[in-house]
């Protein structure tokens, strides 16, 4: 059982750099632009100690509320017992990345707009709601050129 209760206690693997990604941080990390309202994922980079989030926020998703020269402010929801508190965390940009959680939503918005425009010009109604995955359609498997194979176990042979 661990007996140390420091700020970075129990973060041996959490803050370690992935395999073959150690060393200098790529410049593309610094060239990403963040705007107020962007949804970002917090992923601490162990190579940069400045502006690093507390281990609780590692892996959390939040909304950017403030942008400065080399850091961003992120609002993250934190559950404390029975209530959810909106925490404001200031992080350097090495520790955040744009979240993919809205990509599917934005793709659906564009697809729905296209379907709506097509339906309007044809004069038909179209359902834009998401449907769960349906069962596979029925089909017949022919045995004409696909002879059935009888599968039998291979007899045991002692190799002594």
């Amino acid at each position: 059982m661990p007996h140390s209760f420091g700020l970075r206690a129990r973060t041996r693997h959490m803050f370690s750099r992935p395999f073959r990604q150690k060393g200098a941080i790529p410049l593309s990390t610094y060239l990403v632009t963040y705007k107020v309202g962007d949804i970002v994922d917090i992923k601490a980079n162990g190579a940069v100690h400045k502006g690093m989030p507390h281990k609780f926020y590692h892996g959390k998703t939040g909304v950017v509320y403030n942008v400065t020269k080399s850091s961003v402010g992120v609002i993250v929801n934190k559950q404390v017992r029975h209530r959810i508190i909106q925490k404001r965390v200031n992080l350097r940009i090495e520790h955040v990345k744009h979240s993919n959680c809205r990509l599917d939503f934005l793709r659906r918005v564009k697809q729905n707009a296209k379907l709506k425009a097509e339906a309007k010009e044809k004069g038909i109604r179209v359902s834009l709601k998401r449907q769960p995955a349906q069962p596979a359609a029925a089909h017949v498997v022919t045995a004409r050129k696909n002879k059935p194979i009888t599968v039998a176990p291979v007899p045991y042979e002692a190799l002594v």
Side-chain angles (χ1 to χ4, degrees):
M1 293 195 316
H3 285 35
S4 61
F5 299 100
L7 201 63
R8 292 181 58 161
R10 302 168 197 84
T11 59
R12 176 179 180 177
H13 301 293
M14 185 186 296
F15 289 161
S16 67
R17 301 289 290 134
F19 177 61
R20 283 167 46 179
Q21 288 187 15
K22 296 169 174 60
I25 298 166
L27 284 178
S28 58
T29 305
Y30 299 100
L31 297 175
V32 178
T33 56
Y34 295 97
K35 297 177 184 173
V36 173
D38 284 354
I39 298 176
V40 294
D41 293 331
I42 299 173
K43 184 180 178 187
N45 185 339
V48 181
H49 296 165
K50 276 189 163 187
M52 183 184 271
H54 186 265
K55 62 189 173 189
F56 171 83
Y57 299 105
H58 181 82
K60 299 284 189 276
T61 301
V63 180
V64 174
Y65 78 93
N66 185 27
V67 180
T68 63
K69 177 173 58 75
S70 59
S71 63
V72 292
V74 182
I75 296 176
V76 184
N77 289 335
K78 180 177 184 179
Q79 183 174 350
V80 180
R81 294 192 182 162
H82 61 278
R83 64 197 190 278
I84 295 176
I85 303 172
Q86 285 193 339
K87 304 287 281 190
R88 291 173 181 253
V89 189
N90 295 309
L91 311 164
R92 282 176 70 118
I93 54 173
E94 294 94 333
H95 307 295
V96 296
K97 65 183 183 74
H98 280 290
S99 181
N100 293 328
C101 66
R102 275 185 68 84
L103 292 181
D104 184 50
F105 170 73
L106 295 173
R107 184 190 54 76
R108 280 194 300 111
V109 167
K110 289 178 185 173
Q111 179 71 17
N112 287 351
K114 192 171 88 174
L115 290 173
K116 208 184 293 183
E118 289 174 2
K120 191 172 184 180
E121 72 179 29
K122 291 180 183 175
I124 58 172
R125 291 186 68 170
V126 64
S127 175
L128 301 175
K129 294 182 178 179
R130 289 178 289 173
Q131 297 296 325
Q134 300 296 317
H139 61 279
V140 177
V141 178
T142 180
R144 193 169 292 149
K145 292 184 180 178
N146 188 14
K147 296 281 182 192
I149 301 170
T150 305
V151 179
V154 178
Y156 175 75
E157 295 178 11
L159 301 171
V160 179

